């Protein structure tokens, strides 16, 4: 595995010369894109798979996460070229203060990386907030996305159950800034509590990645994902896209009621899988089943 260059939602209320005759671009071919000089370049980790029959699999973590949130499922993804991205403000990606942390911008930055790598089609899967980014990527670049997967991404803010007390306090103006300045590993583990239902030993890497974030990056991403869900429910977005879709949900998620997956069932071409006894983070709570589902979906959606 080579590297180049915690998911959680804060407390909220419910609610990408020469003369002669010009050439005509091939149908559906993406227009050339030259990123601006100031455009942040996202970090990603790649697990190569020479001569894979399927399109690459792109994995996008959730709020306060990093590429490390996908580590447990990597053994099940043998035979696939896997690219795990750190979102802006997360992991080893840049953490600018004055930046757009919107879902569309995060998607644009991932698309720019894929274009630079010469990847023309990929299966894209996102966890929690990463699911919003995955869908935003398909909306902006339908030429690039062969299939979509969302893991424990609620269909709309109406279904959100809330969060652990430390996370709710972090979202409180004034108090949140102070708590973030004084953050400890214990506090960070407390904010991650609702991300797991099964007993999971949270690796120090996940805690360190949260600690390295800026308060602006955390809260701006949180507000942006809320705005994306409020603007239009995800099932409606997926229906408009018409792509092969996998919705994977933990049957004991503490942040979203498992029954909310029913909102996805009417989406054409959507497969819904609920994992009994699993919480908000299936990659850590049931990596074998989660990895197998992702592997099979990526081969089905991304094979010619």
């Amino acid at each position: 595995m080579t590297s180049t260059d915690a998911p959680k939602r804060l407390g909220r209320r419910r609610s990408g010369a020469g003369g002669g005759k010009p050439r005509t671009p091939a149908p559906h071919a993406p227009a050339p894109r030259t990123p601006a000089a100031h455009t942040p370049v996202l970090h990603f980790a790649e697990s190569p798979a020479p001569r894979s029959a399927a399109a690459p699999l792109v994995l996008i973590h959730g709020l306060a996460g990093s590429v490390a949130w996908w580590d447990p499922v990597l053994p099940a993804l043998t035979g696939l070229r896997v690219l795990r991205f750190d979102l802006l403000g997360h992991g080893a990606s840049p953490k600018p203060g004055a930046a757009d942390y919107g879902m569309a911008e995060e998607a644009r930055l991932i698309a720019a990386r894929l274009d630079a790598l010469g990847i023309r089609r990929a299966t894209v899967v996102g966890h929690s907030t990463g699911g919003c980014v995955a869908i935003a990527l398909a909306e902006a670049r339908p030429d690039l996305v062969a299939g979509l997967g969302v893991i424990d991404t609620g269909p709309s803010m109406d279904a959100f159950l809330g969060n652990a007390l430390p996370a709710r306090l972090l979202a409180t103006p004034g108090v949140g800034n102070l708590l973030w300045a004084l953050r400890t590993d214990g506090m960070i583990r407390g904010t991650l509590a609702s991300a797991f239902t099964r007993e999971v030993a949270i690796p120090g890497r996940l805690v360190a990645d949260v600690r390295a974030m800026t308060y602006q990056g955390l809260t701006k991403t949180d507000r942006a994902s809320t705005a994306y869900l409020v603007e239009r429910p995800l099932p409606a977005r997926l229906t408009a896209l018409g792509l092969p879709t996998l919705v994977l949900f933990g049957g004991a998620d503490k942040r979203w009621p498992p029954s909310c997956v029913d909102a996805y069932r009417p989406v054409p071409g959507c497969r819904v899988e609920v994992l009994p006894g699993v919480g908000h983070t299936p990659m850590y709570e049931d990596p074998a089943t989660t990895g197998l589902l992702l592997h099979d979906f990526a081969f089905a959606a991304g094979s010619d």
Side-chain angles (χ1 to χ4, degrees):
M1 183 182 305
T2 59
S3 235
T4 69
D5 230 49
K8 68 184 180 69
R9 188 174 300 277
L10 299 183
R12 305 171 175 143
R13 295 181 181 177
R14 297 174 56 167
S15 21
K21 185 178 179 180
R23 294 183 179 181
T24 301
H28 309 299
R33 289 168 171 80
T34 304
H38 65 278
T39 298
V41 177
L42 298 184
H43 167 265
F44 71 94
E46 179 175 8
S47 302
R51 299 182 297 278
S52 175
L57 173 62
V58 171
L59 301 175
I60 307 170
H61 63 77
L63 178 66
S66 70
V67 298
W69 285 77
W70 299 103
D71 285 352
V73 300
L74 291 180
L77 302 179
T78 303
L80 288 163
R81 181 184 181 186
V82 180
L83 298 99
R84 297 171 290 149
F85 280 86
D86 279 333
L87 293 173
L88 188 67
H90 295 70
S93 284
K95 300 172 175 62
D100 181 358
Y101 284 85
M103 302 296 96
E105 177 63 9
E106 296 276 17
R108 186 185 72 83
L109 295 176
I110 292 175
R113 275 305 237 168
L114 296 177
D115 286 340
L117 291 167
I119 294 174
R120 299 178 67 84
R121 293 285 279 174
T123 300
V124 183
V125 175
H127 172 235
S128 196
T129 292
C132 295
V133 178
I135 294 172
L137 176 56
E139 289 175 326
R141 292 289 303 277
D143 60 283
L144 191 55
V145 180
L148 274 172
V150 295
I151 301 177
D152 286 81
T153 305
S156 68
M157 282 307 299
D158 290 338
F160 187 55
L161 294 175
N163 231 322
L165 178 60
R168 296 199 300 272
L169 290 174
L170 278 174
T172 305
V175 175
N177 297 70
L178 177 60
L179 284 176
W180 191 251
L182 301 174
R183 63 193 180 279
T184 64
D185 287 0
M187 189 194 82
I188 291 171
R189 290 182 184 276
T191 64
L192 296 177
S194 64
F196 305 95
T197 297
R198 291 185 174 177
E199 196 69 30
V200 171
I202 301 175
R205 164 76 185 276
L206 304 192
V207 176
D209 284 337
V210 178
R211 177 184 280 280
M213 293 185 69
T214 67
Y215 187 68
Q216 279 188 313
L218 179 69
T219 55
K220 283 185 176 182
T221 304
D222 183 61
R223 289 194 295 267
S225 62
T226 296
Y228 187 80
L229 286 168
V230 169
E231 180 184 51
R232 190 182 188 191
L234 300 192
R237 294 178 184 271
L238 290 170
T239 297
L241 287 168
L243 289 168
T245 302
L246 171 67
V247 173
L248 177 59
F249 233 87
D253 193 318
K254 296 178 181 178
R255 297 178 177 178
W256 304 92
S259 60
C260 76
V261 299
D262 292 340
Y264 289 106
R265 296 188 190 278
V267 176
C270 180
R271 174 184 175 185
V272 175
E273 294 284 348
V274 178
L275 303 185
V278 172
H280 188 67
T281 313
M283 303 90 72
Y284 269 87
E285 298 180 63
D286 190 353
T289 304
T290 302
L292 179 61
L293 288 169
L294 293 181
H295 177 278
D296 291 350
F297 176 69
F299 268 98
S303 298
D304 294 329

